[in-house]
Amino acid sequence: MNTKSKHAAIFLAIILLWIKTYIVSKVSFTLPVDHFLQEILLFFNPLSFLVLYFCITFYQSPPRRRQFILGLSILYSLILYANVVYYRFFTDFLTIPVLFQTKNVGDIGNSLYELVYVTDLFLFIDLFILAYFLKKPLFNPNQSIIQKDRRKAVAVGIAILAVHLILAEVNRPQLLTRTFDREILVKSLGTFNYHLYDILLQSKSSMQKALASNLEAEEILHKVNKQTTNHPELYGIANGKNLIVVSLESTQNFVLNYKINGKEVTPFLNELAKSSYYFTNFYHQTGQGKTSDSEFLADNSLYPLPRGAVFQTHPLNEYNAMPEILKANGYYSAVFHGNNKSFWNRDVMYKTLGYDQFFSEEYFTITEENSINYGLKDFPFFEQSIPYLKDLPQPFFAKMITLTNHHPYLIQEDEQWVEPYPVDDGTVSRYFTTVRYADEALRQFFHDLKAAGLYDNSVVVVYGDHYGISERHQEAMADVLGKSALTSYNQVELQKVPLFIHIPGRRGKEIDKVGGQIDLKPTLLHLLGIETNEDVHFGTDLFSKDHHELTILRNGSFITEDFIYTSETCYVKPFGAPVDSLKCKPFIEQAKEELDLSDRIIYGDLLRFLKKE
Ligand code: GP9
Ligand code: MN
């Protein structure tokens, strides 16, 4: 028997499972393929797992190898099938946290009957084929495997995996570090590599959690809370009212009052500033988790993580988030977003945070015409959300996450209500057109809220989730801001995002206190008349006279009333002249400590120690 036939059984098992996985990913999972490289990845991705997977059989004694090959094939098939069934119900893939999130499993348990079809037996046909052939002498790997074979097989497996990972990274940069969308992960890595990756993430965070103790929790938590006095007029002013929070995708503050060819880029927001509290020195504090980080900050008043998205890495932690607190105060909480629900692991994380309902993609009518880029356009999004909003039990907390103003900032010509900015940088140039579109959609939303009778009884908060124009676009941005070049000081200033708090019956006011997304939770809870003294929160009420004007960005830069500290340089406001670092020194320590405390809370899942039984 030659070497080829010595490995015939493994070859057969790999090819059968490979073909099966590809067919399943085309037929049972709806994974949109946008270009050729993605199709190639989808086709080849089972292979890089399968080769290494079957290397295990090289360590078995000859008589057991056959059973092992069959056994591994059965195990693989069962896991694949579990994903198929789970996908039928949730249009999502299994994750370790999901397996332990009893609520999810409970949900699926009830409908298992309807999720399993007789035709599913076809999914196991290959196993019978394999079992049949394994009996044939040609496929009977009865010879001992010599060390060289083992090494060769492992080397081939690793080489295939390496090529695969490189292609996946080319297809979607930062795929593994940011882990944004499960669908994209599965599409690029393949179901099984994805499961391994998920196990890795999970074990890392479980270890950190296991090492944490009650003592550490007490020690850390007592350092965190900053008490503020309540604002005498505004505390409780929105008691019992609905709270509608609109997250404006990629909207930076510099677009406010900006004009192109004499036309305002944000006419509606400029108008809204006159009837709302408008915070002109408000910063996003997000990291790699972008939108999800902004949500995390706003809901928890904790910092996001230095690497990865906390929505993805720590979705099963104990939190004390706004929806949960509001629920205890008689509120119903819902999120509206016209994209796939597993993006940023939202479907799992929202349950943890205590949201009652998530109106994702599947609740909206999405067509070729009414969607662009990531999903449903903002106009139809708001329009289709109104009937759902009207039906929510009141008082409610509704979070609306817009989407159209997202990189690469695409919008049809007939919806370009402002000229692209005249600069040789497509991203910056187009950005203004999609901001303008989102601004108009928001006007429509306010109009519809009035028509639906919800306006007078709701506090509406509007904020930008994070920057839209990254530092790479320095030159074009210098042009936009009328400067010859941008300094690090200017870059920090560009991290300002707008914040509006619209309270019916209150006049507008510009507030120039320094603040950030971390302050939203205490600020909003206080407006609703809910005390926060007992909670863990890093932010402080923006309206309080003792609001802490120290806003720390996730990269360690910070902003105070008088200084901006970034790239190890202390700049004095408002012109950004560098000054002696000693001026920033006390805040440098504080900023470091605060980020570190917040990280330790998340890594150690310390809030679980506070949970009252
Ligand atoms: C995706 C949307 C955009 O659903 O929230 O995410 P981002 O890339 O801005 O984090
Ligand atoms: Mn975003």
Side-chain angles (χ1 to χ4, degrees):
M1 209 183 276
N2 62 24
T3 5
K4 285 232 170 65
S5 59
K6 191 160 79 179
H7 301 311
I10 285 195
F11 280 128
L12 182 65
I14 290 180
I15 286 172
L16 287 172
L17 291 179
W18 181 6
I19 296 173
K20 173 160 80 178
T21 316
Y22 181 63
I23 295 176
V24 163
S25 60
K26 292 304 275 183
V27 178
S28 304
F29 306 144
T30 34
L31 296 171
V33 171
D34 304 330
H35 47 80
F36 189 59
L37 180 57
Q38 258 177 28
E39 189 63 61
I40 300 255
L41 273 171
L42 198 63
F43 178 68
F44 280 105
N45 66 29
L47 187 64
S48 69
F49 176 81
L50 283 168
V51 172
L52 284 174
Y53 181 60
F54 278 99
C55 278
I56 308 174
T57 64
F58 283 79
Y59 292 86
Q60 302 306 312
S61 59
R64 289 188 59 200
R65 271 193 84 213
R66 215 159 29 138
Q67 292 156 7
F68 228 80
I69 291 172
L70 189 61
L72 286 183
S73 297
I74 293 173
L75 179 67
Y76 182 100
S77 303
L78 287 176
I79 296 175
L80 186 65
Y81 184 58
N83 273 291
V84 168
V85 173
Y86 186 79
Y87 195 88
R88 278 183 193 146
F89 192 68
F90 290 108
T91 347
D92 198 354
F93 299 92
L94 281 170
T95 63
I96 305 288
V98 155
L99 284 179
F100 292 100
Q101 196 152 7
T102 42
K103 202 156 173 254
N104 276 358
V105 179
D107 282 348
I108 202 170
N110 297 335
S111 11
L112 213 54
Y113 275 134
E114 285 163 35
L115 297 172
V116 175
Y117 313 151
V118 183
T119 45
D120 289 348
L121 282 174
F122 283 114
L123 282 173
F124 297 97
I125 280 188
D126 61 308
L127 296 177
F128 293 102
I129 298 177
L130 181 68
Y132 172 79
F133 279 104
L134 283 182
K135 287 208 186 104
K136 304 264 164 210
L138 175 70
F139 291 87
N140 205 338
N142 257 343
Q143 300 156 39
S144 56
I145 304 285
I146 48 173
Q147 195 115 13
K148 227 168 75 198
D149 288 334
R150 267 182 215 159
R151 282 211 208 110
K152 242 198 260 168
V154 174
V156 168
I158 290 176
I160 295 177
L161 183 67
V163 172
H164 177 191
L165 290 181
I166 291 169
L167 285 181
E169 184 68 20
V170 169
N171 176 49
R172 200 69 197 233
Q174 291 191 316
L175 180 74
L176 295 183
T177 42
R178 285 186 63 201
T179 61
F180 29 90
D181 186 351
R182 213 166 5 260
E183 196 175 275
I184 296 174
L185 269 176
V186 172
K187 220 159 48 176
S188 316
L189 295 183
T191 320
F192 288 82
N193 285 324
Y194 159 70
H195 283 320
L196 282 185
Y197 178 63
D198 182 45
I199 290 170
L200 206 80
L201 275 189
Q202 195 52 36
S203 28
K204 195 173 139 206
S205 67
S206 307
M207 216 147 79
Q208 279 160 327
K209 185 172 157 176
L211 295 175
S213 67
N214 204 342
L215 207 70
E216 186 187 5
E218 269 172 34
E219 176 204 317
I220 288 180
L221 298 176
H222 103 263
K223 286 192 199 162
V224 176
N225 275 0
K226 302 165 194 153
Q227 306 300 345
T228 55
T229 49
N230 293 326
H231 188 285
E233 246 180 278
L234 291 176
Y235 183 84
I237 191 164
N239 193 337
K241 286 201 176 0
N242 303 318
L243 175 62
I244 302 176
V245 173
V246 182
S247 158
L248 287 183
E249 178 57 45
S250 303
T251 305
Q252 289 170 244
N253 198 50
F254 76 86
V255 293
L256 275 275
N257 295 310
Y258 199 89
K259 286 185 182 161
I260 293 181
N261 290 339
K263 280 195 191 153
E264 290 171 284
V265 177
T266 58
F268 179 66
L269 290 179
N270 300 345
E271 215 175 289
L272 187 65
K274 297 187 188 120
S275 60
S276 317
Y277 292 99
Y278 166 40
F279 292 82
T280 54
N281 274 309
F282 183 78
Y283 288 81
H284 85 82
Q285 295 160 294
T286 62
Q288 289 181 316
K290 305 295 286 293
T291 313
S292 68
D293 278 357
S294 72
E295 295 183 56
F296 185 77
L297 277 147
D299 281 345
N300 298 292
S301 196
L302 292 171
Y303 292 92
L305 293 177
R307 277 172 47 255
V310 51
F311 263 44
Q312 205 82 46
T313 55
H314 295 78
L316 292 190
N317 270 17
E318 193 62 58
Y319 296 104
N320 187 23
M322 282 248 286
E324 194 183 325
I325 297 172
L326 288 175
K327 196 197 282 286
N329 286 273
Y331 275 72
Y332 185 89
S333 298
V335 186
F336 294 76
H337 185 47
N339 189 10
N340 140 21
K341 66 184 173 189
S342 69
F343 204 106
W344 289 131
N345 199 25
R346 284 185 171 109
D347 48 349
V348 178
M349 186 59 157
Y350 285 163
K351 283 191 175 148
T352 301
L353 297 177
Y355 283 100
D356 297 299
Q357 174 75 280
F358 178 20
F359 296 92
S360 67
E361 191 171 65
E362 60 218 57
Y363 287 83
F364 297 94
T365 309
I366 304 184
T367 62
E368 187 88 356
E369 283 77 46
N370 75 6
S371 60
I372 199 159
N373 207 356
Y374 275 66
L376 187 59
K377 291 199 284 187
D378 295 345
F379 257 93
F381 165 65
F382 282 132
E383 198 181 344
Q384 293 184 35
S385 298
I386 289 284
Y388 291 127
L389 270 175
K390 264 165 79 173
D391 281 352
L392 292 184
Q394 296 199 28
F396 61 72
F397 162 37
K399 172 157 70 178
M400 325 288 303
I401 306 173
T402 67
L403 198 51
T404 310
N405 184 39
H406 194 287
H407 186 267
Y409 310 114
L410 307 172
I411 194 74
Q412 282 90 349
E413 218 159 300
D414 60 336
E415 285 169 325
Q416 279 183 18
W417 297 305
V418 73
E419 300 286 305
Y421 184 83
V423 71
D424 202 17
D425 177 329
T427 300
V428 174
S429 176
R430 290 187 303 270
Y431 178 66
F432 291 86
T433 61
T434 45
V435 169
R436 177 69 187 87
Y437 170 89
D439 179 82
E440 202 56 37
L442 191 65
R443 179 195 300 281
Q444 183 63 38
F445 181 54
F446 270 71
H447 176 269
D448 291 348
L449 282 178
K450 284 180 193 160
L454 290 168
Y455 183 80
D456 289 326
N457 200 26
S458 305
V459 168
V460 187
V461 177
V462 177
Y463 71 87
D465 62 351
H466 49 75
Y467 67 82
I469 306 293
S470 72
E471 290 195 19
R472 279 187 295 151
H473 302 278
Q474 298 226 29
E475 262 176 52
M477 280 310 292
D479 191 273
V480 167
L481 301 175
K483 292 183 191 296
S484 52
L486 295 187
T487 62
S488 309
Y489 174 86
N490 300 138
Q491 287 297 356
V492 171
E493 283 213 300
L494 275 173
Q495 306 313 309
K496 283 182 198 168
V497 293
L499 166 65
F500 299 91
I501 299 182
H502 182 273
I503 306 172
R506 302 290 303 188
R507 276 218 231 114
K509 192 174 176 194
E510 255 185 37
I511 301 182
D512 63 2
K513 275 194 228 176
V514 176
Q517 290 161 334
I518 203 133
D519 299 315
L520 285 169
K521 178 183 168 189
T523 307
L524 300 180
L525 287 177
H526 285 182
L527 288 176
L528 300 182
I530 299 169
E531 255 319 321
T532 57
N533 282 342
E534 298 290 304
D535 299 352
V536 172
H537 51 88
F538 283 87
T540 52
D541 181 348
L542 290 162
F543 291 112
S544 166
K545 70 173 167 37
D546 21 69
H547 162 65
H548 290 235
E549 287 193 78
L550 167 61
T551 296
I552 304 161
L553 308 188
R554 186 55 256 196
N555 63 8
S557 301
F558 59 78
I559 305 98
T560 73
E561 203 181 340
D562 305 311
F563 304 105
I564 284 185
Y565 180 80
T566 186
S567 319
E568 300 185 346
T569 312
C570 187
Y571 296 92
V572 66
K573 287 159 91 175
F575 300 112
V579 290
D580 190 340
S581 299
L582 275 179
K583 301 257 188 212
C584 284
K585 185 99 195 297
F587 305 110
I588 297 177
E589 297 308 314
Q590 206 179 324
K592 263 207 199 102
E593 179 175 35
E594 218 167 272
L595 289 172
D596 181 57
L597 286 176
S598 178
D599 293 348
R600 283 167 69 188
I601 290 177
I602 298 167
Y603 291 139
D605 190 8
L606 298 186
L607 296 182
R608 74 197 140 118
F609 293 110
L610 287 189
K611 249 332 187 243
K612 297 160 206 115
E613 290 310 314

